[in-house]
Every structure is written in C-alpha cells, then in structure tokens.
Coordinates of all heavy atoms in Angstrom, one line a residue:
M1 N 74.5 97.7 76.1 CA 75.4 96.7 76.7 C 74.5 95.7 77.4 O 73.7 96.1 78.2 CB 76.4 97.5 77.6 CG 77.4 96.5 78.2 SD 78.6 97.4 79.3 CE 79.4 98.6 78.3
T2 N 74.8 94.5 77.3 CA 74.0 93.4 77.9 C 74.6 93.2 79.3 O 75.7 93.6 79.7 CB 74.1 92.1 77.1 OG1 75.4 91.6 77.2 CG2 73.6 92.3 75.7
V3 N 73.8 92.5 80.1 CA 74.2 92.1 81.5 C 75.5 91.4 81.5 O 76.4 91.6 82.3 CB 73.1 91.3 82.2 CG1 73.6 90.9 83.6 CG2 71.9 92.2 82.3
G4 N 75.7 90.4 80.5 CA 77.0 89.7 80.4 C 78.1 90.5 80.1 O 79.2 90.4 80.7
Q5 N 77.9 91.5 79.3 CA 79.0 92.5 78.9 C 79.4 93.3 80.1 O 80.5 93.6 80.3 CB 78.6 93.3 77.7 CG 78.5 92.6 76.4 CD 78.0 93.4 75.3 OE1 77.1 94.3 75.5 NE2 78.4 93.2 74.1
E6 N 78.4 93.8 80.9 CA 78.6 94.6 82.1 C 79.5 93.8 83.1 O 80.4 94.3 83.7 CB 77.3 95.0 82.7 CG 76.6 96.0 81.9 CD 75.2 96.4 82.5 OE1 75.0 95.9 83.7 OE2 74.5 97.1 81.9
K7 N 79.2 92.5 83.2 CA 80.0 91.7 84.2 C 81.4 91.5 83.7 O 82.3 91.6 84.4 CB 79.3 90.3 84.3 CG 78.1 90.3 85.1 CD 77.5 88.9 85.2 CE 76.2 88.9 86.0 NZ 75.6 87.6 86.1
N8 N 81.6 91.4 82.3 CA 82.9 91.3 81.8 C 83.7 92.5 82.0 O 84.9 92.5 82.4 CB 82.9 90.9 80.3 CG 82.5 89.5 80.1 OD1 82.6 88.6 81.0 ND2 82.0 89.2 78.9
V9 N 83.1 93.7 81.8 CA 83.8 95.0 82.0 C 84.2 95.1 83.5 O 85.3 95.5 83.8 CB 82.9 96.1 81.5 CG1 83.5 97.5 82.0 CG2 82.7 96.1 80.0
G10 N 83.3 94.7 84.4 CA 83.6 94.8 85.8 C 84.7 93.9 86.2 O 85.6 94.3 86.9
A11 N 84.8 92.7 85.6 CA 85.9 91.7 85.9 C 87.2 92.2 85.3 O 88.2 92.2 86.0 CB 85.5 90.4 85.3
I12 N 87.1 92.8 84.1 CA 88.3 93.3 83.5 C 88.8 94.5 84.3 O 90.0 94.7 84.6 CB 88.1 93.6 82.0 CG1 87.9 92.3 81.3 CG2 89.2 94.4 81.5 CD1 87.4 92.5 79.8
G13 N 87.9 95.4 84.7 CA 88.2 96.5 85.5 C 88.9 96.2 86.8 O 89.9 96.8 87.2
R14 N 88.4 95.1 87.4 CA 89.0 94.7 88.7 C 90.4 94.2 88.5 O 91.3 94.4 89.4 CB 88.1 93.6 89.3 CG 86.9 94.1 90.1 CD 86.3 93.1 90.9 NE 85.9 91.9 90.2 CZ 84.8 91.7 89.5 NH1 83.9 92.6 89.5 NH2 84.6 90.5 88.9
I15 N 90.7 93.5 87.4 CA 92.0 93.0 87.1 C 93.0 94.2 87.1 O 94.1 94.0 87.7 CB 92.1 92.3 85.7 CG1 91.3 91.0 85.8 CG2 93.5 92.1 85.3 CD1 91.1 90.3 84.5
F16 N 92.7 95.3 86.6 CA 93.6 96.4 86.5 C 93.5 97.4 87.7 O 94.4 98.2 87.9 CB 93.3 97.2 85.2 CG 93.7 96.4 84.0 CD1 92.8 95.8 83.2 CD2 95.0 96.4 83.6 CE1 93.1 95.0 82.1 CE2 95.4 95.6 82.5 CZ 94.5 95.0 81.8
S17 N 92.5 97.4 88.5 CA 92.3 98.4 89.5 C 92.3 97.9 90.9 O 92.6 98.6 91.9 CB 91.1 99.2 89.3 OG 89.9 98.4 89.4
E18 N 91.9 96.6 91.2 CA 91.7 96.2 92.5 C 93.0 96.3 93.4 O 93.0 96.8 94.5 CB 91.2 94.7 92.5 CG 90.8 94.2 93.9 CD 90.2 92.8 93.7 OE1 89.0 92.7 93.2 OE2 90.8 91.8 94.2
H19 N 94.1 95.7 92.9 CA 95.3 95.7 93.7 C 95.9 97.1 93.8 O 96.1 97.6 95.0 CB 96.4 94.8 93.0 CG 97.7 94.9 93.6 ND1 98.0 94.6 94.9 CD2 98.9 95.4 93.1 CE1 99.3 94.8 95.2 NE2 99.9 95.3 94.1
P20 N 96.0 98.0 92.8 CA 96.5 99.3 93.0 C 95.6 100.1 94.0 O 96.1 100.8 94.8 CB 96.5 99.9 91.6 CG 96.6 98.8 90.7 CD 95.9 97.7 91.3
Q21 N 94.3 100.0 93.8 CA 93.4 100.7 94.7 C 93.5 100.3 96.2 O 93.4 101.1 97.1 CB 91.9 100.6 94.3 CG 91.6 101.4 93.0 CD 90.2 101.2 92.5 OE1 89.4 100.4 93.0 NE2 89.9 101.9 91.5
S22 N 93.8 99.0 96.4 CA 94.0 98.5 97.8 C 95.2 99.1 98.4 O 95.3 99.1 99.6 CB 94.1 96.9 97.8 OG 95.4 96.5 97.3
L23 N 96.1 99.6 97.6 CA 97.3 100.3 98.1 C 97.2 101.8 98.1 O 98.1 102.5 98.4 CB 98.5 99.9 97.2 CG 98.8 98.4 97.2 CD1 100.0 98.1 96.2 CD2 99.1 97.9 98.5
G24 N 96.0 102.3 97.7 CA 95.8 103.7 97.6 C 96.4 104.4 96.4 O 96.8 105.5 96.4
M25 N 96.6 103.6 95.3 CA 97.3 104.1 94.1 C 96.4 104.0 92.9 O 95.5 103.2 92.9 CB 98.6 103.2 93.9 CG 99.5 103.2 95.0 SD 100.9 102.0 94.7 CE 101.9 102.9 93.5
S26 N 96.7 104.7 91.9 CA 96.0 104.6 90.6 C 96.7 103.5 89.8 O 97.8 103.1 90.2 CB 96.1 105.9 89.8 OG 97.4 106.2 89.4
W27 N 96.1 103.0 88.7 CA 96.7 102.0 87.9 C 98.0 102.6 87.3 O 99.1 101.9 87.3 CB 95.8 101.6 86.8 CG 96.5 100.6 85.9 CD1 96.5 99.2 86.0 CD2 97.2 100.9 84.7 NE1 97.3 98.6 85.0 CE2 97.7 99.6 84.2 CE3 97.6 102.0 84.0 CZ2 98.5 99.6 83.0 CZ3 98.3 102.0 82.9 CH2 98.8 100.7 82.4
G28 N 98.0 103.8 86.9 CA 99.2 104.4 86.3 C 100.3 104.6 87.2 O 101.5 104.2 86.9
S29 N 100.1 105.1 88.4 CA 101.2 105.2 89.4 C 101.7 103.9 89.8 O 102.9 103.7 90.0 CB 100.7 106.0 90.6 OG 99.7 105.3 91.3
H30 N 100.8 102.9 89.9 CA 101.3 101.5 90.2 C 102.2 101.0 89.1 O 103.2 100.4 89.3 CB 100.1 100.6 90.5 CG 100.5 99.2 90.9 ND1 100.7 98.2 90.0 CD2 100.7 98.7 92.1 CE1 101.0 97.1 90.6 NE2 101.0 97.4 91.9
A31 N 101.7 101.2 87.9 CA 102.5 100.7 86.7 C 103.9 101.3 86.7 O 104.9 100.7 86.4 CB 101.7 101.0 85.4
V32 N 103.9 102.7 86.9 CA 105.2 103.3 86.8 C 106.2 102.8 87.9 O 107.3 102.5 87.7 CB 105.0 104.9 87.0 CG1 106.4 105.6 87.3 CG2 104.4 105.4 85.8
G33 N 105.6 102.6 89.1 CA 106.4 102.0 90.2 C 106.9 100.6 89.9 O 108.1 100.3 90.1
A34 N 106.0 99.8 89.3 CA 106.4 98.4 89.0 C 107.5 98.4 87.9 O 108.4 97.5 88.0 CB 105.2 97.6 88.6
V35 N 107.4 99.2 86.9 CA 108.4 99.3 85.9 C 109.7 99.7 86.5 O 110.8 99.2 86.1 CB 107.9 100.2 84.7 CG1 109.1 100.5 83.8 CG2 106.8 99.6 83.9
G36 N 109.7 100.7 87.3 CA 110.9 101.2 88.0 C 111.6 100.1 88.8 O 112.8 99.9 88.7
I37 N 110.8 99.3 89.5 CA 111.3 98.2 90.3 C 111.9 97.2 89.4 O 113.0 96.6 89.6 CB 110.3 97.6 91.2 CG1 109.9 98.6 92.3 CG2 110.7 96.2 91.8 CD1 108.7 98.2 93.2
S38 N 111.2 96.8 88.3 CA 111.7 95.8 87.4 C 113.0 96.2 86.7 O 113.9 95.4 86.6 CB 110.7 95.5 86.3 OG 110.5 96.6 85.4
L39 N 113.2 97.5 86.4 CA 114.4 98.0 85.8 C 115.6 97.9 86.7 O 116.7 97.5 86.4 CB 114.2 99.4 85.2 CG 113.3 99.5 84.0 CD1 113.1 101.0 83.7 CD2 113.8 98.7 82.8
R40 N 115.3 98.2 88.0 CA 116.4 98.1 89.0 C 116.8 96.7 89.2 O 118.0 96.4 89.3 CB 115.9 98.7 90.3 CG 115.8 100.3 90.2 CD 115.1 100.8 91.5 NE 116.0 100.9 92.6 CZ 115.7 101.4 93.7 NH1 114.5 101.9 94.0 NH2 116.6 101.5 94.7
L41 N 115.8 95.8 89.2 CA 116.1 94.4 89.4 C 116.9 93.8 88.2 O 117.8 93.0 88.4 CB 114.9 93.5 89.7 CG 114.2 93.8 91.0 CD1 112.8 93.1 91.0 CD2 115.1 93.2 92.1
I42 N 116.5 94.2 87.0 CA 117.2 93.8 85.8 C 118.6 94.3 85.8 O 119.6 93.5 85.5 CB 116.4 94.2 84.5 CG1 115.1 93.4 84.4 CG2 117.3 94.1 83.3 CD1 114.2 94.0 83.3
G43 N 118.8 95.5 86.2 CA 120.2 96.1 86.3 C 121.0 95.3 87.3 O 122.2 95.0 87.0
A44 N 120.5 95.0 88.5 CA 121.2 94.2 89.5 C 121.5 92.8 88.9 O 122.6 92.3 89.2 CB 120.4 94.2 90.8
G45 N 120.6 92.2 88.2 CA 120.8 90.9 87.7 C 121.9 90.9 86.6 O 122.8 90.0 86.6
V46 N 121.9 91.9 85.8 CA 123.0 92.0 84.8 C 124.3 92.2 85.5 O 125.3 91.6 85.1 CB 122.7 93.2 83.8 CG1 123.9 93.5 82.9 CG2 121.5 92.8 82.9
A47 N 124.4 93.1 86.5 CA 125.6 93.3 87.2 C 126.1 91.9 87.8 O 127.3 91.6 87.8 CB 125.4 94.3 88.3
C48 N 125.2 91.1 88.3 CA 125.5 89.8 88.9 C 126.1 88.9 87.8 O 127.1 88.2 88.1 CB 124.3 89.1 89.6 SG 123.9 89.8 91.1
L49 N 125.5 88.9 86.6 CA 126.0 88.1 85.6 C 127.5 88.5 85.2 O 128.3 87.7 85.0 CB 125.1 88.2 84.3 CG 123.8 87.5 84.5 CD1 122.9 87.8 83.3 CD2 124.0 86.0 84.6
I50 N 127.7 89.8 85.1 CA 129.0 90.3 84.8 C 130.0 90.0 85.9 O 131.1 89.5 85.7 CB 128.9 91.8 84.5 CG1 128.2 92.1 83.2 CG2 130.4 92.4 84.4 CD1 127.8 93.6 83.0
H51 N 129.5 90.1 87.1 CA 130.3 89.8 88.3 C 130.7 88.3 88.3 O 131.8 87.9 88.7 CB 129.6 90.1 89.6 CG 130.3 89.7 90.8 ND1 131.4 90.3 91.3 CD2 130.0 88.6 91.7 CE1 131.8 89.7 92.4 NE2 130.9 88.7 92.7
A52 N 129.8 87.4 87.8 CA 130.2 86.0 87.7 C 131.3 85.8 86.8 O 132.1 84.8 87.0 CB 128.9 85.2 87.3
I53 N 131.5 86.6 85.8 CA 132.5 86.4 84.8 C 133.8 87.1 85.2 O 134.9 86.6 85.1 CB 132.1 86.9 83.4 CG1 130.9 86.1 82.9 CG2 133.2 86.9 82.4 CD1 130.1 86.7 81.8
V54 N 133.6 88.3 85.7 CA 134.8 89.1 86.2 C 134.5 89.5 87.7 O 133.9 90.5 88.0 CB 134.9 90.4 85.3 CG1 136.2 91.2 85.8 CG2 135.0 90.1 83.8
P55 N 135.0 88.7 88.6 CA 134.6 88.8 90.0 C 135.0 90.1 90.6 O 134.4 90.5 91.7 CB 135.4 87.7 90.7 CG 135.5 86.6 89.6 CD 135.7 87.4 88.3
V56 N 135.9 90.9 90.1 CA 136.3 92.1 90.7 C 135.4 93.3 90.3 O 135.4 94.4 90.9 CB 137.8 92.5 90.5 CG1 138.7 91.5 91.0 CG2 138.0 92.7 89.0
W57 N 134.5 93.1 89.4 CA 133.5 94.1 89.0 C 132.2 93.9 89.7 O 131.8 92.7 89.9 CB 133.3 94.0 87.4 CG 134.5 94.4 86.6 CD1 135.6 95.0 87.0 CD2 134.5 94.3 85.2 NE1 136.4 95.2 85.9 CE2 135.8 94.8 84.8 CE3 133.7 93.8 84.2 CZ2 136.2 94.9 83.5 CZ3 134.1 93.9 82.9 CH2 135.4 94.4 82.5
F58 N 131.5 94.9 90.0 CA 130.2 94.9 90.6 C 130.1 94.1 91.8 O 129.2 93.3 92.0 CB 129.2 94.5 89.5 CG 129.1 95.3 88.3 CD1 129.6 94.8 87.1 CD2 128.7 96.6 88.3 CE1 129.6 95.5 85.9 CE2 128.7 97.4 87.2 CZ 129.1 96.8 86.0
T59 N 131.1 94.2 92.7 CA 131.2 93.4 93.9 C 130.0 93.7 94.9 O 129.7 92.8 95.7 CB 132.5 93.5 94.6 OG1 132.7 94.9 95.0 CG2 133.6 93.0 93.7
Q60 N 129.5 94.9 94.9 CA 128.5 95.2 95.9 C 127.2 95.7 95.2 O 126.2 96.1 95.9 CB 129.0 96.4 96.8 CG 130.2 95.9 97.6 CD 130.7 97.1 98.4 OE1 130.1 98.1 98.6 NE2 131.9 96.9 99.0
T61 N 127.1 95.7 93.9 CA 125.9 96.3 93.2 C 124.6 95.6 93.6 O 123.7 96.3 93.9 CB 126.2 96.2 91.7 OG1 127.4 96.9 91.4 CG2 125.0 96.8 91.0
A62 N 124.6 94.3 93.5 CA 123.3 93.6 93.8 C 122.8 93.8 95.3 O 121.7 94.2 95.5 CB 123.4 92.1 93.5
G63 N 123.7 93.7 96.2 CA 123.4 93.9 97.6 C 122.9 95.3 97.9 O 122.0 95.5 98.6
K64 N 123.7 96.3 97.4 CA 123.2 97.6 97.6 C 121.9 97.9 96.9 O 121.1 98.6 97.5 CB 124.3 98.6 97.0 CG 125.5 98.7 97.9 CD 126.5 99.7 97.4 CE 127.7 99.9 98.3 NZ 128.7 100.9 97.8
T65 N 121.7 97.4 95.8 CA 120.4 97.6 95.1 C 119.2 97.0 95.9 O 118.2 97.7 96.1 CB 120.4 97.0 93.7 OG1 121.5 97.6 92.9 CG2 119.1 97.1 93.0
V66 N 119.4 95.8 96.4 CA 118.3 95.2 97.2 C 118.1 96.0 98.5 O 116.9 96.2 98.8 CB 118.7 93.7 97.5 CG1 117.7 93.1 98.5 CG2 118.7 92.9 96.2
T67 N 119.1 96.4 99.1 CA 119.0 97.2 100.4 C 118.3 98.5 100.1 O 117.4 98.9 100.8 CB 120.4 97.4 101.0 OG1 121.0 96.2 101.3 CG2 120.3 98.3 102.3
E68 N 118.7 99.2 99.0 CA 118.1 100.5 98.7 C 116.6 100.3 98.3 O 115.7 101.1 98.7 CB 118.8 101.1 97.5 CG 120.2 101.7 97.8 CD 120.9 102.1 96.6 OE1 120.4 102.0 95.5 OE2 122.1 102.4 96.8
M69 N 116.3 99.2 97.6 CA 114.9 98.9 97.2 C 114.1 98.6 98.4 O 112.9 99.1 98.5 CB 114.9 97.8 96.2 CG 115.4 98.2 94.9 SD 115.4 96.8 93.7 CE 113.6 96.7 93.4
Y70 N 114.6 97.9 99.4 CA 113.9 97.6 100.6 C 113.5 98.9 101.4 O 112.4 99.1 101.8 CB 114.7 96.7 101.5 CG 114.0 96.5 102.9 CD1 112.9 95.6 103.0 CD2 114.4 97.2 104.0 CE1 112.3 95.5 104.3 CE2 113.8 97.1 105.2 CZ 112.7 96.3 105.3 OH 112.1 96.1 106.5
H71 N 114.5 99.8 101.5 CA 114.3 101.0 102.2 C 113.3 101.9 101.4 O 112.4 102.5 102.0 CB 115.6 101.8 102.4 CG 116.5 101.1 103.4 ND1 116.1 100.9 104.8 CD2 117.7 100.6 103.3 CE1 117.0 100.2 105.4 NE2 118.0 100.0 104.5
D72 N 113.4 101.9 100.1 CA 112.4 102.7 99.3 C 111.0 102.2 99.5 O 110.0 102.9 99.7 CB 112.7 102.6 97.8 CG 114.0 103.4 97.5 OD1 114.5 104.2 98.3 OD2 114.5 103.2 96.3
M73 N 110.8 100.8 99.5 CA 109.5 100.2 99.7 C 109.0 100.5 101.1 O 107.8 100.7 101.2 CB 109.6 98.7 99.4 CG 109.8 98.5 97.9 SD 109.8 96.7 97.6 CE 110.4 96.6 96.0
A74 N 109.8 100.4 102.1 CA 109.4 100.7 103.4 C 108.9 102.2 103.6 O 107.9 102.4 104.2 CB 110.5 100.4 104.4
R75 N 109.6 103.1 102.9 CA 109.2 104.5 102.9 C 107.8 104.7 102.2 O 107.0 105.4 102.7 CB 110.2 105.4 102.3 CG 111.4 105.8 103.2 CD 112.2 106.9 102.6 NE 112.8 106.6 101.3 CZ 114.0 105.9 101.2 NH1 114.7 105.6 102.3 NH2 114.5 105.6 100.0
R76 N 107.7 104.0 101.1 CA 106.4 104.1 100.4 C 105.3 103.5 101.2 O 104.2 104.1 101.2 CB 106.5 103.4 99.0 CG 107.4 104.1 98.0 CD 107.5 103.3 96.7 NE 106.3 103.1 96.1 CZ 106.1 102.2 95.1 NH1 107.1 101.4 94.7 NH2 104.9 102.1 94.6
K77 N 105.5 102.4 101.9 CA 104.5 101.8 102.7 C 104.1 102.7 103.8 O 102.9 103.0 104.1 CB 105.0 100.5 103.3 CG 104.0 99.8 104.2 CD 104.5 98.4 104.6 CE 103.5 97.7 105.6 NZ 104.0 96.4 106.0
A78 N 105.1 103.3 104.5 CA 104.8 104.2 105.6 C 104.1 105.5 105.2 O 103.3 106.0 106.0 CB 106.2 104.6 106.3
G79 N 104.3 105.9 104.0 CA 103.6 107.1 103.5 C 102.3 106.8 102.8 O 101.7 107.8 102.3
A80 N 101.9 105.6 102.7 CA 100.7 105.2 102.0 C 99.4 105.7 102.7 O 99.5 105.8 103.9 CB 100.6 103.7 101.8
A81 N 98.4 105.8 102.0 CA 97.1 106.2 102.6 C 96.6 105.1 103.6 O 96.0 105.5 104.6 CB 96.0 106.4 101.5
N82 N 96.9 103.9 103.3 CA 96.5 102.8 104.2 C 97.7 101.8 104.4 O 97.7 100.8 103.7 CB 95.3 102.1 103.7 CG 94.7 101.1 104.7 OD1 95.3 100.9 105.8 ND2 93.7 100.3 104.3
P83 N 98.7 102.2 105.2 CA 99.9 101.3 105.2 C 99.6 99.9 105.7 O 100.3 99.0 105.4 CB 100.8 102.1 106.2 CG 100.1 103.2 106.8 CD 98.8 103.3 106.0
N84 N 98.6 99.7 106.5 CA 98.3 98.4 107.0 C 97.8 97.4 105.9 O 97.8 96.2 106.0 CB 97.2 98.4 108.1 CG 97.8 99.1 109.4 OD1 99.0 99.1 109.6 ND2 97.0 99.8 110.1
A85 N 97.3 98.0 104.8 CA 96.9 97.2 103.7 C 98.0 96.7 102.8 O 97.8 95.9 102.0 CB 95.9 98.0 102.8
W86 N 99.2 97.3 103.0 CA 100.3 97.0 102.1 C 101.0 95.7 102.7 O 101.1 95.5 103.9 CB 101.4 98.1 102.2 CG 101.0 99.2 101.3 CD1 99.8 99.9 101.3 CD2 101.9 99.9 100.4 NE1 99.9 100.9 100.4 CE2 101.1 100.9 99.8 CE3 103.2 99.7 100.0 CZ2 101.7 101.7 98.8 CZ3 103.7 100.5 99.0 CH2 103.0 101.5 98.4
P87 N 101.4 94.8 101.8 CA 102.1 93.6 102.2 C 103.5 93.9 102.7 O 104.0 95.0 102.5 CB 102.1 92.7 101.0 CG 102.1 93.7 99.9 CD 101.2 94.9 100.4
D88 N 104.1 93.0 103.4 CA 105.5 93.2 103.8 C 106.5 93.3 102.6 O 107.6 93.8 102.7 CB 106.0 92.1 104.8 CG 105.3 92.2 106.1 OD1 104.9 93.3 106.5 OD2 105.2 91.2 106.8
Y89 N 106.0 92.8 101.5 CA 106.8 92.9 100.3 C 105.9 93.6 99.3 O 104.7 93.7 99.5 CB 107.2 91.5 99.8 CG 106.0 90.6 99.6 CD1 105.3 90.6 98.4 CD2 105.5 89.8 100.6 CE1 104.1 89.8 98.2 CE2 104.4 89.1 100.5 CZ 103.7 89.1 99.3 OH 102.6 88.3 99.2
E90 N 106.4 94.1 98.3 CA 105.6 94.8 97.3 C 106.2 94.7 95.9 O 107.4 94.7 95.8 CB 105.6 96.3 97.8 CG 105.3 97.3 96.7 CD 105.9 98.6 97.0 OE1 106.5 98.8 98.0 OE2 105.6 99.5 96.2
I91 N 105.3 94.7 95.0 CA 105.7 94.8 93.6 C 104.8 95.7 92.8 O 103.6 95.8 93.1 CB 105.8 93.4 92.9 CG1 106.9 92.6 93.5 CG2 105.9 93.5 91.4 CD1 107.4 91.5 92.7

C-alpha cells in the first residue's frame, strides 16, 4: 500500500467512524439508531399527510412522535459515555 493509499483509507475511515466515536458508539450501533429515527420520522410524516386529507385521523401522532423521540434522545445522551460531547440534537 502506498502512502497515498494509506491517506485515502484514513480519510474514508474517518467518514464512517469519527462522528459515531465522538458519541461513544460504533458505526453499527450509530447506523441502527439513525435508521430507527428515520423510520419514526417517516411514519410521523405519513400520518401528517393522511391527517391533511382526513383531519380526524392521526390528530396527535406527529406531536407524540416528536415528544417521544426527544425524550428518547435525552435519555441516550444522559447515558452516553461522554454526554458533554453530544449535541443538543442528534441524528
């Protein structure tokens, strides 16, 4: 492996590991969490679209989802190896 290739591997490695490691997580655990968050947001978004068409359906779904997600993220931050390194928001 040449010096240039080593630098590329290092840069690519940082893309996948720097942020998760700053939160005390592995790439895999971070990916699982991000996918879970995205699915919850997509579900809330679909509920909002349906609510726009039929206003009596899903009247509290989006609000409850956002509130639950905020509390989940606050618990994860509090239980993190380095909670001060976590941003006030998280993805």
